[in-house]
Amino acid sequence: MKQEIEIEFKNIVTKEEFDRLRSHFQLTEDQFVSQENHYFDTPAFSLKDCGAALRIRSKKDKSVLTLKQPHQEGLLETHEALTNEQAKELRDGSAKIPSTIQQLITDLQVDSHALTYFGTLCTSRAEIPYKNGLLVLDHSFYLGAEDYELEYEVTDANEGAKYFEQLLTELDIKKKPTENKIRRFYKRKYTLIEIDGE
């Protein structure tokens, strides 16, 4: 088990803005790596309701289960390494959540046995070291939708905010309120359910 505090800034961008970022940082196609986020919650969205999220991230030959919880400085992330086979078993319900993360979920007063796999979001991602942080360009695909996003992961929130604002201004990128990927995924999923139910 590994824990860390996540402090990040994010901004949804248009394809044109995304291409501008790629050009500015001279990113080539081979610098983008594919990954999959597999999301879990209870049918009543108990994790979401307490500001938490549970996902498995799979890329190449490894997977990591991550629980994100609110923290005064950002988000507390707890990671547990999995084999790809373990990740598959968790998705199909034939395996249990590892005990360390299961206990943290119980501490949130959420029934870990009620957790269910909701679906997968696929992302093509490039990462660039940038001014004491990590700049991330994501092109994501989920449930027939796609979006483009800029993230900036930092250790100092004040410094990170300043550098992020400067970059958006420099590249003439409009600042937009941006929900995290799991919330965008759930909104899309339940919009589709409502359309199907009409």
Side-chain angles (χ1 to χ4, degrees):
M1 182 183 79
K2 176 187 170 188
Q3 288 188 310
E4 61 185 347
I5 303 299
E6 177 189 67
I7 302 171
E8 70 176 11
F9 300 89
K10 54 179 69 220
N11 201 70
I12 285 284
V13 295
T14 64
K15 184 179 187 307
E16 180 188 2
E17 290 167 337
F18 189 81
D19 290 341
R20 198 180 308 151
L21 284 159
R22 285 186 59 162
S23 176
H24 180 79
F25 290 104
Q26 300 179 338
L27 292 170
T28 59
E29 198 60 44
D30 61 357
Q31 288 174 273
F32 284 82
V33 175
S34 294
Q35 63 183 34
E36 295 179 335
N37 287 347
H38 310 288
Y39 297 123
F40 297 79
D41 206 330
T42 69
F45 293 104
S46 304
L47 285 175
K48 175 179 164 290
D49 287 347
C50 56
L54 184 67
R55 66 138 198 256
I56 296 172
R57 174 166 288 167
S58 299
K59 50 185 174 182
K60 294 185 179 175
D61 57 350
K62 66 178 183 178
S63 294
V64 177
L65 178 67
T66 298
L67 175 68
K68 296 189 177 195
Q69 301 169 256
H71 186 276
Q72 58 189 16
E73 295 178 33
L75 290 173
L76 173 63
E77 293 189 335
T78 303
H79 307 288
E80 192 75 54
L82 303 172
T83 65
N84 285 347
E85 183 59 30
Q86 288 172 312
K88 181 179 180 299
E89 289 170 355
L90 280 172
R91 291 199 308 276
D92 66 25
S94 63
K96 293 181 179 178
I97 303 290
S99 58
T100 49
I101 290 184
Q102 190 176 59
Q103 184 58 54
L104 291 172
I105 291 170
T106 300
D107 292 345
L108 292 170
Q109 300 184 340
V110 172
D111 180 6
S112 64
H113 302 292
L115 292 169
T116 186
Y117 165 62
F118 271 91
T120 297
L121 177 148
C122 301
T123 299
S124 177
R125 164 172 286 194
E127 300 178 344
I128 317 150
Y130 182 75
K131 294 188 177 182
N132 299 328
L134 184 71
L135 207 61
V136 179
L137 276 73
D138 283 342
H139 181 194
S140 297
F141 306 85
Y142 52 102
L143 304 173
E146 65 179 303
D147 61 40
Y148 301 86
E149 182 180 15
L150 175 66
E151 294 183 357
Y152 187 38
E153 300 174 6
V154 296
T155 55
D156 183 308
N158 292 330
E159 182 183 76
K162 180 181 75 173
Y163 289 145
F164 194 63
E165 294 275 353
Q166 286 175 351
L167 179 62
L168 294 180
T169 300
E170 179 186 349
L171 295 183
D172 192 27
I173 293 174
K174 184 178 178 183
K175 188 174 182 182
K176 304 175 193 79
T178 300
E179 293 183 307
N180 61 27
K181 288 180 178 65
I182 192 168
R183 286 184 181 271
R184 301 199 307 266
F185 177 89
Y186 284 158
K187 274 192 173 178
R188 175 70 177 173
K189 184 176 182 71
Y190 286 95
T191 298
L192 293 176
I193 286 175
E194 287 171 8
I195 289 170
D196 288 344
E198 286 180 354

